[in-house]
Coordinates of all heavy atoms in Angstrom, one line a residue:
D246 N -41.8 76.9 -46.9 CA -40.4 76.5 -47.4 C -39.8 77.6 -48.0 O -38.6 78.0 -47.8 CB -40.6 75.3 -48.4 CG -40.4 74.0 -47.6 OD1 -40.1 74.0 -46.4 OD2 -40.5 72.9 -48.2
E247 N -40.5 78.3 -48.9 CA -39.8 79.3 -49.7 C -39.4 80.5 -48.9 O -38.4 81.2 -49.1 CB -40.8 79.8 -50.9 CG -41.0 78.8 -51.9 CD -41.7 79.2 -53.1 OE1 -42.0 80.4 -53.2 OE2 -42.0 78.4 -54.0
V248 N -40.2 80.8 -47.9 CA -39.9 81.9 -46.9 C -38.6 81.5 -46.2 O -37.6 82.3 -45.8 CB -41.0 82.3 -46.1 CG1 -40.5 83.3 -44.9 CG2 -42.1 82.9 -46.9
F249 N -38.6 80.2 -45.7 CA -37.5 79.7 -44.8 C -36.3 79.7 -45.6 O -35.1 80.1 -45.2 CB -37.9 78.4 -44.2 CG -36.7 77.9 -43.3 CD1 -36.6 78.6 -42.0 CD2 -35.9 76.8 -43.6 CE1 -35.5 78.0 -41.3 CE2 -34.9 76.4 -42.8 CZ -34.7 77.1 -41.6
I250 N -36.3 79.1 -46.9 CA -35.0 79.2 -47.9 C -34.7 80.7 -48.0 O -33.4 80.7 -47.9 CB -35.5 78.4 -49.1 CG1 -35.8 77.0 -48.8 CG2 -34.2 78.6 -50.1 CD1 -36.4 76.3 -50.1
G251 N -35.5 81.4 -48.1 CA -35.2 82.8 -48.4 C -34.4 83.5 -47.2 O -33.4 84.2 -47.4
L252 N -34.9 83.1 -46.1 CA -34.1 83.4 -44.8 C -32.7 82.9 -44.8 O -31.8 83.7 -44.6 CB -35.1 82.9 -43.6 CG -34.3 83.2 -42.3 CD1 -34.3 84.5 -41.8 CD2 -35.0 82.3 -41.1
L253 N -32.6 81.7 -45.0 CA -31.3 81.0 -45.0 C -30.4 81.6 -46.2 O -29.2 81.9 -45.8 CB -31.3 79.6 -45.2 CG -32.1 78.8 -44.1 CD1 -32.0 77.2 -44.4 CD2 -31.4 79.0 -42.7
L254 N -30.9 81.9 -47.3 CA -30.1 82.4 -48.4 C -29.7 83.8 -48.0 O -28.7 84.4 -48.4 CB -30.9 82.3 -49.7 CG -31.0 81.0 -50.2 CD1 -31.8 81.0 -51.5 CD2 -29.7 80.3 -50.6
E255 N -30.6 84.6 -47.4 CA -30.3 86.0 -47.0 C -29.0 86.1 -46.1 O -28.2 86.9 -46.3 CB -31.5 86.6 -46.4 CG -31.2 87.9 -45.6 CD -30.8 89.1 -46.5 OE1 -31.1 89.0 -47.7 OE2 -30.2 90.0 -46.1
Y256 N -29.1 85.2 -45.1 CA -27.9 85.2 -44.1 C -26.8 84.7 -44.7 O -25.5 85.0 -44.4 CB -28.3 84.7 -42.8 CG -29.2 85.7 -42.0 CD1 -30.5 85.8 -42.2 CD2 -28.7 86.5 -41.1 CE1 -31.2 86.7 -41.4 CE2 -29.4 87.4 -40.3 CZ -30.6 87.6 -40.6 OH -31.4 88.6 -39.9
R257 N -27.0 83.6 -45.6 CA -25.8 83.1 -46.3 C -25.0 84.2 -47.1 O -24.0 84.3 -47.1 CB -26.3 82.0 -47.2 CG -25.3 81.2 -47.9 CD -26.0 80.0 -48.8 NE -25.1 79.1 -49.4 CZ -24.6 79.4 -50.5 NH1 -24.8 80.5 -51.2 NH2 -23.6 78.6 -51.1
S258 N -25.9 85.0 -47.8 CA -25.4 86.2 -48.5 C -24.6 87.2 -47.6 O -23.5 87.7 -48.1 CB -26.4 86.9 -49.3 OG -27.4 87.6 -48.5
R259 N -25.1 87.3 -46.5 CA -24.4 88.3 -45.6 C -23.1 87.7 -45.2 O -22.1 88.4 -44.9 CB -25.3 88.4 -44.4 CG -26.5 89.2 -44.6 CD -27.3 89.5 -43.3 NE -28.7 90.0 -43.6 CZ -29.5 90.5 -42.7 NH1 -29.0 90.6 -41.5 NH2 -30.8 90.9 -43.0
L260 N -23.0 86.4 -44.9 CA -21.7 85.7 -44.7 C -20.8 85.9 -45.8 O -19.6 86.1 -45.6 CB -22.0 84.2 -44.3 CG -22.5 84.0 -43.0 CD1 -22.9 82.5 -42.8 CD2 -21.5 84.4 -41.8
L261 N -21.3 85.7 -47.1 CA -20.4 85.7 -48.3 C -19.8 87.2 -48.3 O -18.7 87.4 -48.6 CB -21.3 85.5 -49.5 CG -21.6 83.9 -49.8 CD1 -22.5 83.9 -50.9 CD2 -20.3 83.2 -50.2
E262 N -20.7 88.1 -48.0 CA -20.2 89.6 -48.1 C -19.1 89.8 -47.0 O -18.0 90.4 -47.3 CB -21.4 90.6 -47.8 CG -21.1 92.0 -47.9 CD -22.1 92.8 -47.7 OE1 -23.4 92.3 -47.7 OE2 -22.0 94.1 -47.6
L263 N -19.2 89.2 -45.8 CA -18.3 89.3 -44.8 C -17.0 88.6 -45.2 O -15.9 89.2 -45.1 CB -18.9 88.7 -43.5 CG -17.7 88.5 -42.5 CD1 -17.3 89.8 -41.8 CD2 -18.3 87.6 -41.3
Y264 N -17.0 87.4 -45.7 CA -15.8 86.7 -46.1 C -15.0 87.4 -47.3 O -13.8 87.4 -47.4 CB -16.1 85.3 -46.4 CG -16.8 84.5 -45.3 CD1 -17.5 83.5 -45.6 CD2 -16.6 84.9 -43.9 CE1 -18.3 82.8 -44.6 CE2 -17.1 84.2 -43.0 CZ -18.1 83.3 -43.3 OH -18.7 82.4 -42.2
A265 N -15.8 88.0 -48.1 CA -15.2 88.9 -49.2 C -14.5 90.1 -48.9 O -13.7 90.5 -49.5 CB -16.2 89.1 -50.3
S266 N -14.7 90.5 -47.6 CA -14.1 91.8 -47.1 C -12.7 91.6 -46.8 O -11.9 92.5 -46.7 CB -14.9 92.3 -45.9 OG -14.7 91.4 -44.8
Q267 N -12.3 90.3 -46.4 CA -10.9 89.9 -46.2 C -10.4 90.7 -45.1 O -9.3 91.2 -44.9 CB -10.0 90.4 -47.4 CG -10.2 89.5 -48.5 CD -9.8 88.1 -48.4 OE1 -8.7 87.6 -48.0 NE2 -10.8 87.2 -48.7
K268 N -11.3 91.1 -43.9 CA -10.9 91.6 -42.7 C -10.0 90.6 -41.9 O -9.9 89.4 -42.3 CB -12.1 91.9 -41.9 CG -13.2 92.9 -42.6 CD -12.6 94.3 -42.5 CE -13.7 95.2 -42.9 NZ -13.3 96.6 -42.9
P269 N -9.4 91.2 -41.0 CA -8.6 90.2 -40.0 C -9.4 89.1 -39.5 O -10.6 89.2 -39.2 CB -8.0 91.1 -39.1 CG -8.0 92.5 -39.6 CD -9.3 92.6 -40.4
P270 N -8.8 87.9 -39.2 CA -9.6 86.7 -38.8 C -10.3 87.0 -37.5 O -11.5 86.6 -37.3 CB -8.5 85.6 -38.6 CG -7.5 86.0 -39.6 CD -7.4 87.5 -39.7
R271 N -9.8 87.7 -36.6 CA -10.4 88.0 -35.2 C -11.8 88.8 -35.6 O -12.7 88.6 -34.9 CB -9.5 88.8 -34.4 CG -9.9 89.1 -33.1 CD -9.0 89.8 -32.2 NE -9.5 90.2 -30.8 CZ -8.9 90.8 -29.9 NH1 -7.6 91.2 -30.1 NH2 -9.4 91.1 -28.8
Y272 N -11.7 89.8 -36.4 CA -12.9 90.5 -36.8 C -13.9 89.8 -37.4 O -15.1 89.6 -37.1 CB -12.4 91.7 -37.7 CG -13.7 92.4 -38.2 CD1 -14.2 93.6 -37.6 CD2 -14.2 92.1 -39.5 CE1 -15.2 94.3 -38.1 CE2 -15.4 92.8 -39.9 CZ -15.9 93.9 -39.3 OH -17.0 94.6 -39.6
M273 N -13.5 88.9 -38.4 CA -14.5 88.1 -39.1 C -15.0 87.1 -38.2 O -16.2 86.8 -38.3 CB -13.9 87.4 -40.4 CG -13.5 88.4 -41.5 SD -13.4 87.5 -43.0 CE -11.9 86.7 -43.0
R274 N -14.2 86.4 -37.2 CA -14.9 85.5 -36.4 C -15.9 86.0 -35.5 O -17.1 85.4 -35.4 CB -13.6 84.9 -35.5 CG -14.0 83.6 -34.9 CD -12.8 83.1 -34.2 NE -11.9 82.5 -35.3 CZ -10.6 83.0 -35.5 NH1 -10.1 83.9 -34.7 NH2 -9.9 82.5 -36.4
A275 N -15.8 87.3 -35.0 CA -16.8 88.0 -34.2 C -18.1 88.3 -35.1 O -19.2 88.1 -34.7 CB -16.2 89.1 -33.5
A276 N -17.8 88.8 -36.2 CA -18.9 89.2 -37.2 C -19.7 88.0 -37.6 O -21.0 88.0 -37.6 CB -18.3 89.9 -38.3
K277 N -19.0 86.9 -37.9 CA -19.7 85.6 -38.2 C -20.6 85.1 -37.1 O -21.7 84.7 -37.3 CB -18.6 84.5 -38.6 CG -19.2 83.1 -38.7 CD -18.1 82.2 -38.9 CE -18.5 80.8 -39.1 NZ -17.3 79.8 -39.3
R278 N -20.1 85.2 -35.9 CA -21.0 84.8 -34.7 C -22.2 85.8 -34.6 O -23.3 85.3 -34.3 CB -20.1 85.0 -33.5 CG -20.7 84.4 -32.2 CD -19.7 84.1 -31.1 NE -18.8 85.3 -30.8 CZ -17.6 85.2 -31.1 NH1 -17.0 84.2 -31.7 NH2 -16.8 86.4 -30.9

Side-chain angles (χ1 to χ4, degrees):
D246 271 357
E247 291 191 4
V248 174
F249 184 69
I250 293 166
L252 171 70
L253 297 180
L254 291 176
E255 166 65 23
Y256 281 85
R257 189 178 182 274
S258 69
R259 296 185 189 187
L260 288 172
L261 286 171
E262 184 178 351
L263 169 66
Y264 301 149
S266 72
Q267 295 295 303
K268 299 282 188 180
R271 183 176 177 181
Y272 173 90
M273 288 203 292
R274 195 168 290 121
K277 173 184 177 181
R278 187 163 50 248

